[in-house]
Amino acid sequence: MAADHAVNTVLPDEPEKATLEGKNKVLGFWLFLGGETVLFGTLFATFIALRDQVNGGPSAQELFDMKIVAWATFLLLTSSLTSVFATMALHKHNLKAVQGWLVITVLLGLGFLGLEIYEFYHYVHEELGMTTSAFSSSFYTLVGFHGGHVAFGICWITGLIIQSMKKGLTVVTAPKFYVAGLYWHFIDVVWVFIFTVVYLMGMIGGKAVA
Amino acid sequence: MAQVSNDAMERKPKIKKDGVKPHIVTFIASIILTIIAFMATAYEVIPAGFTVPFIIILAIVQAAFQLLVWMHMDQKGHEFARVGIVTGSAVVLVTIIAFVTTLW
């Protein structure tokens, strides 16, 4: 373990911020998350503006299966908690625990992704294609973009787990774990809004409220 | 690249206010907030018209919980994190208002 860097050093308390590079990585990642907020925000804005324009196709109210959505929410929320545990294990310098919690996080993420793929498949069979209506395009773009982020996160964290088997826990690898944890939480925060704006508000059904 | 400011050799990691408890509390709070939001829409316990603002406030509370506790934004050294997220959110708010009121 720790074959390449920082071999003879004891890990500091917060190894992700022990080097200037690590500090900058965390700082830069927060600025990236600010950009991601804007990115998702514009997709949300588009969806909110267009969600009632179904163009003769199925509407959100007819379509959504809240059971699947509830399970997806639970899986993603739990995976966010397990990635917190991974970061806590990181602070305790326990690589085995970091890897274990991240494996669980990835598995829960895969479960979430599976549900989403099933959901989209189901909707396409209900005649809701990408080009059916302004509602369908904005729905698939917003929710699919989030799903794409989950898929990317799964690949990223899997890569980190594999790398950590070789490199161990050092001041070089620690920021990677920390930043991946931030990413995963952010994905969960975005989902909270998707759950509320897309699914719950879809259940109420657009203009019927006003 | 990897300069570590390591003083002593015998160090035990002192984890300052990073116990399990706040994280579990956040997790349970998130679940409860989600369930309340779900109930509010499914059973129409809230006067019609107030449901949407209500569930959006719940979502913002939950997001704040996760950003502050899970992503440690409440700890010091996160000034730029706050600037990033608050600026991003401000842009989002303006975009949503613009899209909903003027475009389309």
mmCIF file of all heavy atoms in Angstrom, chain A residues 135-173:
data_model
loop_
_atom_site.group_PDB
_atom_site.id
_atom_site.type_symbol
_atom_site.label_atom_id
_atom_site.label_comp_id
_atom_site.label_asym_id
_atom_site.label_seq_id
_atom_site.Cartn_x
_atom_site.Cartn_y
_atom_site.Cartn_z
ATOM 1 N N PHE A 135 -43.495 18.854 -22.886
ATOM 2 C CA PHE A 135 -43.371 18.228 -21.567
ATOM 3 C C PHE A 135 -42.413 17.052 -21.607
ATOM 4 O O PHE A 135 -41.513 16.947 -20.770
ATOM 5 C CB PHE A 135 -44.759 17.777 -21.082
ATOM 6 C CG PHE A 135 -44.719 16.710 -20.030
ATOM 7 C CD1 PHE A 135 -44.248 16.993 -18.768
ATOM 8 C CD2 PHE A 135 -45.135 15.414 -20.315
ATOM 9 C CE1 PHE A 135 -44.191 16.004 -17.788
ATOM 10 C CE2 PHE A 135 -45.075 14.416 -19.345
ATOM 11 C CZ PHE A 135 -44.605 14.717 -18.079
ATOM 12 N N SER A 136 -42.573 16.157 -22.579
ATOM 13 C CA SER A 136 -41.730 14.955 -22.605
ATOM 14 C C SER A 136 -40.266 15.314 -22.838
ATOM 15 O O SER A 136 -39.376 14.768 -22.188
ATOM 16 C CB SER A 136 -42.230 13.977 -23.667
ATOM 17 O OG SER A 136 -41.843 14.380 -24.956
ATOM 18 N N SER A 137 -39.999 16.250 -23.759
ATOM 19 C CA SER A 137 -38.603 16.626 -24.029
ATOM 20 C C SER A 137 -37.945 17.205 -22.791
ATOM 21 O O SER A 137 -36.832 16.824 -22.427
ATOM 22 C CB SER A 137 -38.528 17.664 -25.150
ATOM 23 O OG SER A 137 -39.213 17.211 -26.274
ATOM 24 N N SER A 138 -38.663 18.132 -22.123
ATOM 25 C CA SER A 138 -38.039 18.775 -20.962
ATOM 26 C C SER A 138 -37.933 17.785 -19.803
ATOM 27 O O SER A 138 -36.977 17.828 -19.025
ATOM 28 C CB SER A 138 -38.824 20.017 -20.547
ATOM 29 O OG SER A 138 -40.163 19.703 -20.278
ATOM 30 N N PHE A 139 -38.893 16.865 -19.706
ATOM 31 C CA PHE A 139 -38.838 15.851 -18.645
ATOM 32 C C PHE A 139 -37.638 14.925 -18.834
ATOM 33 O O PHE A 139 -36.831 14.741 -17.922
ATOM 34 C CB PHE A 139 -40.141 15.027 -18.648
ATOM 35 C CG PHE A 139 -40.068 13.784 -17.812
ATOM 36 C CD1 PHE A 139 -40.177 13.852 -16.441
ATOM 37 C CD2 PHE A 139 -39.873 12.541 -18.405
ATOM 38 C CE1 PHE A 139 -40.095 12.702 -15.665
ATOM 39 C CE2 PHE A 139 -39.791 11.385 -17.639
ATOM 40 C CZ PHE A 139 -39.911 11.470 -16.269
ATOM 41 N N TYR A 140 -37.522 14.359 -20.051
ATOM 42 C CA TYR A 140 -36.412 13.429 -20.298
ATOM 43 C C TYR A 140 -35.068 14.131 -20.185
ATOM 44 O O TYR A 140 -34.091 13.547 -19.705
ATOM 45 C CB TYR A 140 -36.551 12.782 -21.672
ATOM 46 C CG TYR A 140 -37.560 11.658 -21.722
ATOM 47 C CD1 TYR A 140 -38.576 11.645 -22.653
ATOM 48 C CD2 TYR A 140 -37.485 10.590 -20.824
ATOM 49 C CE1 TYR A 140 -39.502 10.617 -22.707
ATOM 50 C CE2 TYR A 140 -38.405 9.565 -20.861
ATOM 51 C CZ TYR A 140 -39.415 9.573 -21.804
ATOM 52 O OH TYR A 140 -40.319 8.557 -21.848
ATOM 53 N N THR A 141 -35.009 15.389 -20.625
ATOM 54 C CA THR A 141 -33.728 16.101 -20.552
ATOM 55 C C THR A 141 -33.317 16.322 -19.106
ATOM 56 O O THR A 141 -32.191 16.006 -18.712
ATOM 57 C CB THR A 141 -33.817 17.460 -21.271
ATOM 58 O OG1 THR A 141 -34.360 17.248 -22.567
ATOM 59 C CG2 THR A 141 -32.457 18.096 -21.397
ATOM 60 N N LEU A 142 -34.250 16.828 -18.293
ATOM 61 C CA LEU A 142 -33.926 17.113 -16.893
ATOM 62 C C LEU A 142 -33.615 15.838 -16.107
ATOM 63 O O LEU A 142 -32.540 15.703 -15.509
ATOM 64 C CB LEU A 142 -35.093 17.866 -16.242
ATOM 65 C CG LEU A 142 -35.037 18.050 -14.717
ATOM 66 C CD1 LEU A 142 -33.799 18.831 -14.322
ATOM 67 C CD2 LEU A 142 -36.283 18.764 -14.220
ATOM 68 N N VAL A 143 -34.549 14.891 -16.115
ATOM 69 C CA VAL A 143 -34.372 13.689 -15.304
ATOM 70 C C VAL A 143 -33.248 12.815 -15.875
ATOM 71 O O VAL A 143 -32.461 12.240 -15.126
ATOM 72 C CB VAL A 143 -35.701 12.908 -15.186
ATOM 73 C CG1 VAL A 143 -35.535 11.682 -14.316
ATOM 74 C CG2 VAL A 143 -36.784 13.807 -14.620
ATOM 75 N N GLY A 144 -33.172 12.763 -17.222
ATOM 76 C CA GLY A 144 -32.104 11.984 -17.837
ATOM 77 C C GLY A 144 -30.728 12.566 -17.547
ATOM 78 O O GLY A 144 -29.758 11.835 -17.337
ATOM 79 N N PHE A 145 -30.655 13.880 -17.500
ATOM 80 C CA PHE A 145 -29.379 14.524 -17.187
ATOM 81 C C PHE A 145 -28.933 14.166 -15.773
ATOM 82 O O PHE A 145 -27.750 13.921 -15.519
ATOM 83 C CB PHE A 145 -29.526 16.036 -17.323
ATOM 84 C CG PHE A 145 -28.336 16.676 -17.956
ATOM 85 C CD1 PHE A 145 -28.160 16.603 -19.317
ATOM 86 C CD2 PHE A 145 -27.387 17.314 -17.182
ATOM 87 C CE1 PHE A 145 -27.043 17.162 -19.905
ATOM 88 C CE2 PHE A 145 -26.275 17.877 -17.760
ATOM 89 C CZ PHE A 145 -26.103 17.809 -19.125
ATOM 90 N N HIS A 146 -29.912 14.141 -14.873
ATOM 91 C CA HIS A 146 -29.589 13.731 -13.507
ATOM 92 C C HIS A 146 -29.139 12.269 -13.490
ATOM 93 O O HIS A 146 -28.143 11.922 -12.854
ATOM 94 C CB HIS A 146 -30.805 13.937 -12.603
ATOM 95 C CG HIS A 146 -30.604 13.438 -11.212
ATOM 96 N ND1 HIS A 146 -30.942 12.157 -10.845
ATOM 97 C CD2 HIS A 146 -30.071 14.022 -10.117
ATOM 98 C CE1 HIS A 146 -30.628 11.992 -9.572
ATOM 99 N NE2 HIS A 146 -30.100 13.109 -9.105
ATOM 100 N N GLY A 147 -29.873 11.405 -14.228
ATOM 101 C CA GLY A 147 -29.492 9.992 -14.308
ATOM 102 C C GLY A 147 -28.089 9.836 -14.878
ATOM 103 O O GLY A 147 -27.308 8.997 -14.422
ATOM 104 N N GLY A 148 -27.768 10.671 -15.871
ATOM 105 C CA GLY A 148 -26.428 10.637 -16.442
ATOM 106 C C GLY A 148 -25.375 10.992 -15.405
ATOM 107 O O GLY A 148 -24.301 10.380 -15.350
ATOM 108 N N HIS A 149 -25.703 11.948 -14.547
ATOM 109 C CA HIS A 149 -24.781 12.314 -13.464
ATOM 110 C C HIS A 149 -24.593 11.144 -12.497
ATOM 111 O O HIS A 149 -23.492 10.903 -12.002
ATOM 112 C CB HIS A 149 -25.301 13.535 -12.710
ATOM 113 C CG HIS A 149 -24.873 14.826 -13.321
ATOM 114 N ND1 HIS A 149 -25.425 15.312 -14.473
ATOM 115 C CD2 HIS A 149 -23.934 15.731 -12.950
ATOM 116 C CE1 HIS A 149 -24.851 16.468 -14.780
ATOM 117 N NE2 HIS A 149 -23.939 16.746 -13.874
ATOM 118 N N VAL A 150 -25.684 10.438 -12.210
ATOM 119 C CA VAL A 150 -25.577 9.274 -11.323
ATOM 120 C C VAL A 150 -24.677 8.223 -11.970
ATOM 121 O O VAL A 150 -23.777 7.673 -11.324
ATOM 122 C CB VAL A 150 -26.970 8.682 -11.018
ATOM 123 C CG1 VAL A 150 -26.845 7.383 -10.236
ATOM 124 C CG2 VAL A 150 -27.812 9.683 -10.248
ATOM 125 N N ALA A 151 -24.904 7.966 -13.275
ATOM 126 C CA ALA A 151 -24.099 6.966 -13.980
ATOM 127 C C ALA A 151 -22.626 7.355 -13.959
ATOM 128 O O ALA A 151 -21.748 6.520 -13.695
ATOM 129 C CB ALA A 151 -24.595 6.822 -15.419
ATOM 130 N N PHE A 152 -22.354 8.641 -14.209
ATOM 131 C CA PHE A 152 -20.969 9.104 -14.172
ATOM 132 C C PHE A 152 -20.373 8.911 -12.779
ATOM 133 O O PHE A 152 -19.238 8.454 -12.627
ATOM 134 C CB PHE A 152 -20.899 10.582 -14.573
ATOM 135 C CG PHE A 152 -19.514 11.155 -14.465
ATOM 136 C CD1 PHE A 152 -18.573 10.883 -15.433
ATOM 137 C CD2 PHE A 152 -19.148 11.932 -13.374
ATOM 138 C CE1 PHE A 152 -17.284 11.388 -15.330
ATOM 139 C CE2 PHE A 152 -17.860 12.432 -13.257
ATOM 140 C CZ PHE A 152 -16.931 12.163 -14.236
ATOM 141 N N GLY A 153 -21.157 9.265 -11.756
ATOM 142 C CA GLY A 153 -20.682 9.119 -10.382
ATOM 143 C C GLY A 153 -20.350 7.672 -10.050
ATOM 144 O O GLY A 153 -19.356 7.397 -9.373
ATOM 145 N N ILE A 154 -21.179 6.738 -10.525
ATOM 146 C CA ILE A 154 -20.933 5.322 -10.277
ATOM 147 C C ILE A 154 -19.592 4.905 -10.884
ATOM 148 O O ILE A 154 -18.779 4.252 -10.232
ATOM 149 C CB ILE A 154 -22.088 4.474 -10.853
ATOM 150 C CG1 ILE A 154 -23.346 4.661 -9.995
ATOM 151 C CG2 ILE A 154 -21.708 3.003 -10.917
ATOM 152 C CD1 ILE A 154 -24.590 4.062 -10.607
ATOM 153 N N CYS A 155 -19.356 5.324 -12.144
ATOM 154 C CA CYS A 155 -18.085 4.978 -12.802
ATOM 155 C C CYS A 155 -16.908 5.603 -12.053
ATOM 156 O O CYS A 155 -15.883 4.955 -11.813
ATOM 157 C CB CYS A 155 -18.080 5.467 -14.250
ATOM 158 S SG CYS A 155 -19.331 4.701 -15.263
ATOM 159 N N TRP A 156 -17.073 6.864 -11.680
ATOM 160 C CA TRP A 156 -16.013 7.596 -10.991
ATOM 161 C C TRP A 156 -15.657 6.904 -9.676
ATOM 162 O O TRP A 156 -14.476 6.598 -9.401
ATOM 163 C CB TRP A 156 -16.500 9.029 -10.770
ATOM 164 C CG TRP A 156 -15.538 9.931 -10.050
ATOM 165 C CD1 TRP A 156 -14.225 9.694 -9.784
ATOM 166 C CD2 TRP A 156 -15.839 11.226 -9.527
ATOM 167 N NE1 TRP A 156 -13.692 10.767 -9.124
ATOM 168 C CE2 TRP A 156 -14.643 11.703 -8.951
ATOM 169 C CE3 TRP A 156 -16.983 12.024 -9.483
ATOM 170 C CZ2 TRP A 156 -14.587 12.961 -8.338
ATOM 171 C CZ3 TRP A 156 -16.911 13.256 -8.876
ATOM 172 C CH2 TRP A 156 -15.726 13.726 -8.320
ATOM 173 N N ILE A 157 -16.661 6.651 -8.843
ATOM 174 C CA ILE A 157 -16.396 6.086 -7.522
ATOM 175 C C ILE A 157 -15.848 4.673 -7.650
ATOM 176 O O ILE A 157 -14.938 4.274 -6.911
ATOM 177 C CB ILE A 157 -17.670 6.141 -6.653
ATOM 178 C CG1 ILE A 157 -18.031 7.616 -6.386
ATOM 179 C CG2 ILE A 157 -17.462 5.426 -5.316
ATOM 180 C CD1 ILE A 157 -19.314 7.813 -5.627
ATOM 181 N N THR A 158 -16.357 3.904 -8.633
ATOM 182 C CA THR A 158 -15.796 2.567 -8.870
ATOM 183 C C THR A 158 -14.313 2.675 -9.210
ATOM 184 O O THR A 158 -13.489 1.914 -8.696
ATOM 185 C CB THR A 158 -16.547 1.867 -10.019
ATOM 186 O OG1 THR A 158 -17.950 1.916 -9.755
ATOM 187 C CG2 THR A 158 -16.106 0.425 -10.154
ATOM 188 N N GLY A 159 -13.985 3.651 -10.064
ATOM 189 C CA GLY A 159 -12.587 3.874 -10.411
ATOM 190 C C GLY A 159 -11.745 4.192 -9.186
ATOM 191 O O GLY A 159 -10.634 3.665 -9.024
ATOM 192 N N LEU A 160 -12.287 5.009 -8.292
ATOM 193 C CA LEU A 160 -11.556 5.384 -7.074
ATOM 194 C C LEU A 160 -11.305 4.169 -6.180
ATOM 195 O O LEU A 160 -10.231 4.017 -5.603
ATOM 196 C CB LEU A 160 -12.335 6.439 -6.285
ATOM 197 C CG LEU A 160 -12.332 7.857 -6.826
ATOM 198 C CD1 LEU A 160 -13.074 8.770 -5.869
ATOM 199 C CD2 LEU A 160 -10.914 8.347 -7.036
ATOM 200 N N ILE A 161 -12.337 3.307 -6.084
ATOM 201 C CA ILE A 161 -12.186 2.112 -5.241
ATOM 202 C C ILE A 161 -11.055 1.243 -5.788
ATOM 203 O O ILE A 161 -10.186 0.784 -5.039
ATOM 204 C CB ILE A 161 -13.506 1.316 -5.187
ATOM 205 C CG1 ILE A 161 -14.615 2.147 -4.523
ATOM 206 C CG2 ILE A 161 -13.313 0.010 -4.410
ATOM 207 C CD1 ILE A 161 -15.999 1.560 -4.680
ATOM 208 N N ILE A 162 -11.063 1.050 -7.113
ATOM 209 C CA ILE A 162 -10.022 0.219 -7.735
ATOM 210 C C ILE A 162 -8.646 0.853 -7.538
ATOM 211 O O ILE A 162 -7.680 0.189 -7.150
ATOM 212 C CB ILE A 162 -10.326 0.014 -9.234
ATOM 213 C CG1 ILE A 162 -11.615 -0.800 -9.395
ATOM 214 C CG2 ILE A 162 -9.164 -0.678 -9.934
ATOM 215 C CD1 ILE A 162 -12.164 -0.822 -10.801
ATOM 216 N N GLN A 163 -8.572 2.166 -7.758
ATOM 217 C CA GLN A 163 -7.289 2.846 -7.602
ATOM 218 C C GLN A 163 -6.769 2.743 -6.168
ATOM 219 O O GLN A 163 -5.582 2.570 -5.937
ATOM 220 C CB GLN A 163 -7.426 4.314 -8.000
ATOM 221 C CG GLN A 163 -6.082 5.014 -8.100
ATOM 222 C CD GLN A 163 -6.218 6.515 -8.224
ATOM 223 O OE1 GLN A 163 -7.057 7.134 -7.582
ATOM 224 N NE2 GLN A 163 -5.402 7.100 -9.074
ATOM 225 N N SER A 164 -7.724 2.842 -5.212
ATOM 226 C CA SER A 164 -7.291 2.842 -3.817
ATOM 227 C C SER A 164 -6.716 1.494 -3.396
ATOM 228 O O SER A 164 -5.962 1.403 -2.427
ATOM 229 C CB SER A 164 -8.458 3.224 -2.911
ATOM 230 O OG SER A 164 -9.393 2.171 -2.857
ATOM 231 N N MET A 165 -7.087 0.428 -4.114
ATOM 232 C CA MET A 165 -6.494 -0.873 -3.789
ATOM 233 C C MET A 165 -5.000 -0.861 -4.070
ATOM 234 O O MET A 165 -4.217 -1.544 -3.425
ATOM 235 C CB MET A 165 -7.163 -1.970 -4.630
ATOM 236 C CG MET A 165 -8.584 -2.250 -4.213
ATOM 237 S SD MET A 165 -9.381 -3.356 -5.389
ATOM 238 C CE MET A 165 -11.025 -3.420 -4.682
ATOM 239 N N LYS A 166 -4.617 -0.084 -5.074
ATOM 240 C CA LYS A 166 -3.212 -0.008 -5.445
ATOM 241 C C LYS A 166 -2.483 1.062 -4.646
ATOM 242 O O LYS A 166 -1.386 0.860 -4.157
ATOM 243 C CB LYS A 166 -3.109 0.328 -6.932
ATOM 244 C CG LYS A 166 -2.472 -0.782 -7.750
ATOM 245 C CD LYS A 166 -2.349 -0.357 -9.189
ATOM 246 C CE LYS A 166 -0.901 -0.449 -9.643
ATOM 247 N NZ LYS A 166 -0.786 -0.058 -11.063
ATOM 248 N N LYS A 167 -3.117 2.252 -4.538
ATOM 249 C CA LYS A 167 -2.405 3.408 -3.993
ATOM 250 C C LYS A 167 -2.614 3.600 -2.500
ATOM 251 O O LYS A 167 -1.878 4.369 -1.882
ATOM 252 C CB LYS A 167 -2.864 4.671 -4.726
ATOM 253 C CG LYS A 167 -2.708 4.572 -6.223
ATOM 254 C CD LYS A 167 -1.610 5.467 -6.727
ATOM 255 C CE LYS A 167 -1.483 5.363 -8.231
ATOM 256 N NZ LYS A 167 -0.302 6.035 -8.741
ATOM 257 N N GLY A 168 -3.649 2.988 -1.957
ATOM 258 C CA GLY A 168 -3.904 3.169 -0.537
ATOM 259 C C GLY A 168 -4.459 4.541 -0.222
ATOM 260 O O GLY A 168 -4.923 5.263 -1.105
ATOM 261 N N LEU A 169 -4.400 4.879 1.043
ATOM 262 C CA LEU A 169 -4.944 6.158 1.504
ATOM 263 C C LEU A 169 -3.795 7.110 1.793
ATOM 264 O O LEU A 169 -3.031 6.905 2.728
ATOM 265 C CB LEU A 169 -5.777 5.914 2.766
ATOM 266 C CG LEU A 169 -6.734 7.019 3.182
ATOM 267 C CD1 LEU A 169 -7.692 7.353 2.064
ATOM 268 C CD2 LEU A 169 -7.510 6.579 4.407
ATOM 269 N N THR A 170 -3.635 8.126 0.949
ATOM 270 C CA THR A 170 -2.548 9.084 1.116
ATOM 271 C C THR A 170 -3.090 10.491 0.980
ATOM 272 O O THR A 170 -4.271 10.682 0.692
ATOM 273 C CB THR A 170 -1.465 8.875 0.027
ATOM 274 O OG1 THR A 170 -2.033 9.246 -1.224
ATOM 275 C CG2 THR A 170 -1.011 7.433 -0.035
ATOM 276 N N VAL A 171 -2.210 11.473 1.129
ATOM 277 C CA VAL A 171 -2.656 12.855 0.960
ATOM 278 C C VAL A 171 -2.987 13.132 -0.504
ATOM 279 O O VAL A 171 -3.616 14.142 -0.825
ATOM 280 C CB VAL A 171 -1.602 13.878 1.463
ATOM 281 C CG1 VAL A 171 -1.567 13.872 2.973
ATOM 282 C CG2 VAL A 171 -0.244 13.599 0.866
ATOM 283 N N VAL A 172 -2.550 12.260 -1.399
ATOM 284 C CA VAL A 172 -2.886 12.439 -2.818
ATOM 285 C C VAL A 172 -4.250 11.822 -3.131
ATOM 286 O O VAL A 172 -5.036 12.399 -3.875
ATOM 287 C CB VAL A 172 -1.789 11.831 -3.723
ATOM 288 C CG1 VAL A 172 -2.168 11.994 -5.191
ATOM 289 C CG2 VAL A 172 -0.456 12.500 -3.437
ATOM 290 N N THR A 173 -4.535 10.655 -2.573
ATOM 291 C CA THR A 173 -5.802 10.001 -2.896
ATOM 292 C C THR A 173 -6.968 10.532 -2.048
ATOM 293 O O THR A 173 -8.109 10.488 -2.491
ATOM 294 C CB THR A 173 -5.713 8.472 -2.716
ATOM 295 O OG1 THR A 173 -5.298 8.194 -1.390
ATOM 296 C CG2 THR A 173 -4.756 7.859 -3.703
#
